[in-house]
Amino acid sequence: MPMDAGEIERLIKAKLPDAEVTITDLAGDGDHYAANVVSEAFRGKSRVQQHQMVYEALEGRMGGVLHALALQTSVPEGDNKSDN
Amino acid sequence: MSEQDIQDWIRKQIAAHDVVLFMKGTRQFPQCGFSGQLVQILDHLGVEFKDINVLEDMALREGIKAFTNWPTIPQLYVKGEFVGGCDIVRDMFQVGELQQLLADKGIAHSQRTTVA
């Protein structure tokens, strides 16, 4: 049973309440999404750890009902926004 | 193979080869777009690697996910360390971090960053 974008966002935000989540449906089949997740909780964590945090939020659906999630994770930009 | 045997077998493969790619299919015939992307990157960098086709054994396909607590395939290991799946390795390649990691670990490769 495919997932819808709203459910993915809800699950991620339940685990990472401060997260900014942007989801793109890549194929319209509920199975192939891209997600960009920005959260303070990622600060100091390796890319692998950041992605594992998101996979944990998805409670085992990753690699199951959710076949493909092209994932980008990052921390919020610092207060001192660069001008360029 | 029992679950423990699978974990031991995986550990041996990772220890026996500098670069190991657990993938769907083989480097000649990848059977998944994500696996194919990593084969392309590694071939492009001229990296010697061991390809392991997880489709040959369901216990291996599930075992490797448990081994790293990583739910998807492909999975790349360099000198025994899990580097990441398709997204992470591709991102690292695009910003030159993969090339730096290979250099740091003393693994022969070419420095090119773009894939045709």
Side-chain angles (χ1 to χ4, degrees):
Chain A
M1 213 268 303
M3 289 183 76
D4 73 49
E7 191 186 354
I8 295 172
E9 182 167 350
R10 185 183 58 75
L11 284 168
I12 293 172
K13 285 194 167 174
K15 184 89 175 186
L16 303 166
D18 76 316
E20 269 173 55
V21 182
T22 313
I23 298 189
T24 313
D25 188 337
L26 298 176
D29 59 2
D31 219 3
H32 296 75
Y33 289 99
N36 189 337
V37 184
V38 180
S39 168
E40 189 56 40
F42 294 148
R43 197 173 296 279
K45 299 264 189 333
S46 71
R47 275 192 178 94
V48 167
Q49 290 166 328
Q50 292 177 21
H51 284 219
Q52 281 173 324
M53 289 165 75
V54 176
Y55 292 151
E56 261 164 46
L58 296 173
E59 296 165 351
R61 291 173 178 78
M62 191 58 228
V65 290
L66 187 52
H67 174 66
L69 179 69
L71 189 53
Q72 295 272 349
T73 54
S74 56
V75 294
E77 286 193 12
D79 302 336
N80 46 5
K81 272 207 163 29
S82 59
D83 295 333
N84 54 23
Chain B
M1 277 197 265
S2 73
E3 206 167 315
Q4 188 49 48
D5 294 340
I6 287 276
Q7 299 294 304
D8 294 341
W9 185 83
I10 291 169
R11 207 167 283 114
K12 277 196 197 101
Q13 302 308 308
I14 290 170
H17 307 278
D18 282 346
V19 182
V20 184
L21 181 64
F22 291 85
M23 62 178 291
K24 290 178 183 173
T26 62
R27 61 191 300 174
Q28 277 81 25
F29 304 106
Q31 290 175 259
C32 155
F34 300 115
S35 293
Q37 274 186 51
L38 292 201
V39 168
Q40 196 183 11
I41 288 172
L42 292 171
D43 283 345
H44 177 79
L45 289 176
V47 174
E48 195 30 57
F49 68 96
K50 167 76 175 167
D51 57 334
I52 295 177
N53 181 4
V54 302
L55 297 180
E56 284 173 0
D57 179 343
M58 187 50 93
L60 170 59
R61 181 174 180 174
E62 293 314 315
I64 190 64
K65 295 174 185 177
F67 186 79
T68 16
N69 181 30
W70 191 263
T72 57
I73 304 293
Q75 295 187 17
L76 181 67
Y77 293 77
V78 172
K79 291 270 179 147
E81 251 178 75
F82 176 56
V83 176
C86 185
D87 293 337
I88 286 176
V89 174
R90 188 192 53 236
D91 291 352
M92 289 175 70
F93 167 69
Q94 284 166 349
V95 298
E97 265 183 46
L98 180 61
Q99 295 84 324
Q100 188 57 55
L101 173 71
L102 293 169
D104 293 347
K105 302 281 185 181
I107 291 169
H109 68 287
S110 65
Q111 276 296 336
R112 285 171 294 160
T113 50
T114 49
V115 180

